[in-house]
Amino acid sequence: MGEAELHIVLLGGPGSGKGTQAVHLVKRFGLVHISTGEILRAAVAAGTAVGREAQHFMDAGELVPDELVIRLVRERVVQPDAQRGFLLDGFPRTLSQAERLDVMLLDVGCTLSHAILLDVPEEELIVRLAGRRLCRMCARGYHLRFNPPVLQGVCDRCGGELYQRDDDNEATVSNRLAVYREQTEPLIDYYERSGLLRRVAGADRGPDEVFLCVEQILTPAAGAA
Ligand code: AP5
């Protein structure tokens, strides 16, 4: 399989490192990054109709309705730049979304090549989300303990202000974890059965080491897929 045919689902709990890995993977493999969380947060910030519909679900740590997310993904997948390959980050996260994704992709003439699971224990997810900070200007991610900025509260790259995501507070995080367990974890079995699943240990090693592991899976010379 050539790199141009990579159609990847990145799976993992909230805070498992999907966004962190996605940034490097899209650069390395020339893919389009489709993060439903980012698309929805942008819609909320812009105050669009989609954003207004999604906001209260997101603030509560609940999933927004399947119908709305599927529509957003379909619109993005059919864009010309996505024809060179794409990485789906945070989608699908229910069985219904996964089944409908398969149908949608057949409809637009492609299939998934990999489902990569970043496996991280729940205790570690809580620590990661509590310490996550993002730059308001360039969106670069930091962690107060694992990847702190040089100057507290200031982005190393652009000098922008660092902030905590609205849904990274304790109560919302605990609901996001419960929603993940109940609604998204069944996808592990779904992709295992279809032969697409690749598990990557995402804890006890830094983002660079996790990246090397994912890169190996996606590099045909490494014998994957
Ligand atoms: P979304 O934005 O998808 O959030 P999520 O899945 O909860 O994932 P996160 O973005 O919180 O974490 P991540 O895995 O990207 O971790 P990160 O790399 O930042 O969704 C948000 C909301 O939108 C949902 O709750 C829902 O309401 C809605 N939504 C989105 N998609 C939907 C869908 N398909 N259907 C319905 N609703 C949907 O890393 C976390 C931290 O850990 C960072 O600080 C990072 O620096 C650090 N870190 C990363 N890797 C490592 C490492 N190896 N070692 C140490 N620290 C690390």
Side-chain angles (χ1 to χ4, degrees), residues 5-59:
E5 296 163 63
L6 292 173
H7 299 135
I8 305 163
V9 163
L10 198 52
L11 280 175
S16 57
K18 301 183 296 296
T20 303
Q21 294 304 319
V23 170
H24 300 294
L25 288 169
V26 296
K27 208 188 278 177
R28 163 67 179 84
F29 293 97
L31 307 171
V32 166
H33 180 197
I34 305 177
S35 159
T36 43
E38 272 177 27
I39 295 172
L40 290 166
R41 278 187 290 282
V44 169
T48 64
V50 166
R52 285 195 299 277
E53 190 178 342
Q55 184 164 20
H56 70 276
F57 295 104
M58 297 175 75
D59 286 348

Side-chain angles (χ1 to χ4, degrees), residues 161-207:
E161 181 201 359
L162 302 187
Y163 74 100
Q164 185 173 35
R165 247 168 66 173
D166 288 345
D167 59 353
D168 278 349
N169 66 74
E170 210 179 312
T172 307
V173 163
S174 116
N175 198 35
R176 285 164 65 199
L177 289 168
V179 167
Y180 176 75
R181 273 195 305 274
E182 286 156 26
Q183 302 198 50
T184 309
E185 267 186 357
L187 295 186
I188 297 173
D189 187 44
Y190 181 83
Y191 286 119
E192 187 115 67
R193 278 187 280 117
S194 63
L196 293 176
L197 190 77
R198 301 285 185 277
R199 287 173 191 268
V200 173
D204 299 327
R205 49 190 182 163

Side-chain angles (χ1 to χ4, degrees), residues 26-191:
V26 296
K27 208 188 278 177
R28 163 67 179 84
F29 293 97
L31 307 171
V32 166
H33 180 197
I34 305 177
S35 159
T36 43
E38 272 177 27
I39 295 172
L40 290 166
R41 278 187 290 282
V44 169
T48 64
V50 166
R52 285 195 299 277
E53 190 178 342
Q55 184 164 20
H56 70 276
F57 295 104
M58 297 175 75
D59 286 348
E62 298 291 336
L63 298 181
V64 309
D66 286 348
E67 211 56 55
L68 190 145
V69 184
I70 287 161
R71 202 173 70 227
L72 292 175
V73 172
R74 191 190 167 94
E75 278 168 14
R76 191 61 193 90
V77 162
V78 297
Q79 297 298 313
D81 61 348
Q83 306 319 305
R84 63 176 193 248
F86 53 77
L87 176 77
L88 293 168
D89 162 3
F91 179 89
R93 54 217 281 169
T94 63
L95 273 176
S96 154
Q97 288 182 13
E99 287 162 358
R100 293 179 63 177
L101 173 64
D102 289 343
V103 174
M104 179 207 302
L105 292 182
L106 273 182
D107 199 33
V108 301
C110 66
T111 51
L112 286 178
S113 60
H114 302 79
I116 295 175
L117 171 69
L118 300 178
D119 220 346
V120 179
E122 205 167 293
E123 317 82 75
E124 171 82 11
L125 297 178
I126 294 168
V127 172
R128 287 196 191 176
L129 292 173
R132 173 166 59 188
R133 297 294 181 272
L134 298 160
C135 174
R136 251 186 228 292
M137 275 161 63
C138 72
R140 181 172 177 174
Y142 294 86
H143 191 280
L144 295 183
R145 193 188 325 162
F146 306 126
N147 175 28
V150 175
L151 271 182
Q152 198 186 336
V154 180
C155 178
D156 296 347
R157 183 160 63 193
C158 73
E161 181 201 359
L162 302 187
Y163 74 100
Q164 185 173 35
R165 247 168 66 173
D166 288 345
D167 59 353
D168 278 349
N169 66 74
E170 210 179 312
T172 307
V173 163
S174 116
N175 198 35
R176 285 164 65 199
L177 289 168
V179 167
Y180 176 75
R181 273 195 305 274
E182 286 156 26
Q183 302 198 50
T184 309
E185 267 186 357
L187 295 186
I188 297 173
D189 187 44
Y190 181 83
Y191 286 119

